Amino acid sequence: MLPAVVLLSGCGLDISSDDDNTSAQSSTTAEPTVQIAGAAMKGVIQQGLVVANRLIADKDGYYAPQRQAAKPVLTADDGSYEWQLRGKAEGWALVELTADGGTRMICDVVPQCDQAGAEPVPFGQAMALDSNFSLLGAGDLRKETVNLTPLTHLAVTLAERSAEGLSPTAISSAYTTVENWFGLSAGALRLTPPDLTNLDEMTGVTADAIQVAIANAAFLALVNDNAQWDSISAVLDDVTAQVSATGHVSITGDGTNVALADLVSAAALQSSELQNVVDSSVISQKLVVVEYRNVQRFKTIADVNEESDTGVADSGETTDSSTDTSTDTSTDTSTGSTDEQVAGTTEPDTAGDATSGGDTSTDTTTDETVADTGTDTETSEPVTETTPEETVPANAALLSWTAPLTRENGESLAMGEIAGFEVVYGTSAETLDQSLAIGDASVDELLVDELTEGTWYFAIRTLDTDGNRSRLSDVVYKQI
């Protein structure tokens, strides 16, 4: 279904009927327009009412939406919307979604979404939204898609506390702050969250986008088995009220309010539960990465709470960072079995310079080799050597490595700072399109099996507890 196109006056002009607007747009070809598009995702929101308004500064430099009497457009079955604004593609806009009796949301919580006074709704099924439900998002008209999620809603609420109102600077800073609260990578709130109920059809989706979707799902997950919260609106309203009043979310809560720790913990649990309902090994691996990130973020929150009982401040300073995983291109492993021959080389260190805050470049080094029973391969320390007792299947490769001790900039790297490793592999050294995540720093070898006949190439990177990833090691290979 194509949503209706509504023209919004930017100069105080009267809003005419849909037919008049369409006619005016076609006849007044000299007047520019800009389209705002995006998706409403807290679970997919269908038939939600969306309105967009330009953000205009008054004479004192205070930014507020230039509200117009315009008919809302409805979100489509996939949650998407389109809105047309008169005027040039410049400035910023505020987009708002509200619900009515026809609005539905797809339950994105495993195994079900509880409802006060009604039967639970199974994962993947539609449920009604109360009339108090709303979502906000904001973006630059020159380049951005404006998505509407609980996280963007918090960001806009935070930005509204600025002395300049909803200025571009305040919005950008608030988006970054909310990303930091949930341990998301820089720019993650600009990503369109995938439909968590349809992940098997989205093998190309990044771990970052999945993490954003699961963070949004956590708001509804808190309703399950918790008598204190009877709807997604109740949870969202509580967190929004905290942000509006204080500029932060309580870290561990006071028994009354929603805590950041509650949301991150719920996200970690949903990451784990989703692994049980997806069939794709690609998606399952990415869910493992997301689960690990949420667990580490929860640990960070706990550590902060031990040092201070204040909330998470509304500054733009980074308290935790994750790297962009948009380059993840995992695919399912294939099967096959042939006689084995081994070819292996030693991996030199790989590195990148990690900094707290914005730069999440890679920062750890890893040595790797391909090992096999009964075949000697020349390796240099600190690569682990295999023993004659090891038995490797004919269609498998045993990888071993030594955890790095330093970062590229020369700083020491403690074992407690290493979160795990990611092994990537494929049938071409230039296309390592399969991956396996290891969420345990103590692991120093991995058996990759079910490899088809041919030459397989392998590399490894290290993940640290801040979510930073090293660059890939040099590639080793094995003939199957």
Side-chain angles (χ1 to χ4, degrees), residues 57-63 163-164:
D58 62 17
K59 61 182 179 61
D60 297 321
Y62 186 86
Y63 283 79
E164 299 175 349

Side-chain angles (χ1 to χ4, degrees), residues 11 52 78 92 112 175 178-179 187 216 239 262 267 285 327 343 362 387 394 401 415 448:
C11 304
D78 62 356
W92 288 57
Q112 64 189 28
Y175 267 59
V178 173
E179 287 164 354
N216 289 309
V239 181
D262 296 334
Q285 292 163 16
T327 56
T362 59
T387 64
W401 59 87
M415 282 297 293
V448 183

Side-chain angles (χ1 to χ4, degrees), residues 30-35 54 85-92 141-142:
E31 183 177 20
T33 60
V34 56
Q35 177 176 283
R54 287 184 181 271
L85 278 176
R86 285 179 181 169
K88 297 180 180 180
E90 59 185 20
W92 288 57
L141 292 174
R142 294 170 299 179

Side-chain angles (χ1 to χ4, degrees), residues 180-224:
N180 293 335
W181 287 351
F182 289 85
L184 300 168
S185 62
L189 293 194
R190 303 298 183 188
L191 300 174
T192 300
D195 178 3
L196 293 177
T197 68
N198 195 34
L199 286 177
D200 283 327
E201 305 300 321
M202 304 179 183
T203 54
V205 68
T206 66
D208 281 347
I210 294 175
Q211 186 179 359
V212 173
I214 290 176
N216 289 309
F219 287 79
L220 183 55
L222 287 187
V223 178
N224 288 4

Side-chain angles (χ1 to χ4, degrees), residues 49 85 98 102 109 113 159 251 302 330 376 385 438 446:
L49 288 71
L85 278 176
T98 56
V109 174
C113 294
I251 293 180
S330 306
D376 295 330
E385 294 183 358
I438 303 167
L446 175 70

Side-chain angles (χ1 to χ4, degrees), residues 150-159 178 181-182 219 236 239-240 243:
L151 297 188
T152 65
H153 188 84
L154 294 188
V156 171
T157 302
L158 179 58
V178 173
W181 287 351
F182 289 85
F219 287 79
L236 188 57
V239 181
T240 302
V243 172

Side-chain angles (χ1 to χ4, degrees), residues 441-463:
S442 65
V443 174
D444 60 6
E445 67 177 22
L446 175 70
L447 182 69
V448 183
D449 59 3
E450 297 187 341
L451 300 174
T452 55
E453 181 179 358
T455 302
W456 286 83
Y457 299 84
F458 305 85
I460 190 170
R461 62 163 54 98
T462 303
L463 314 176

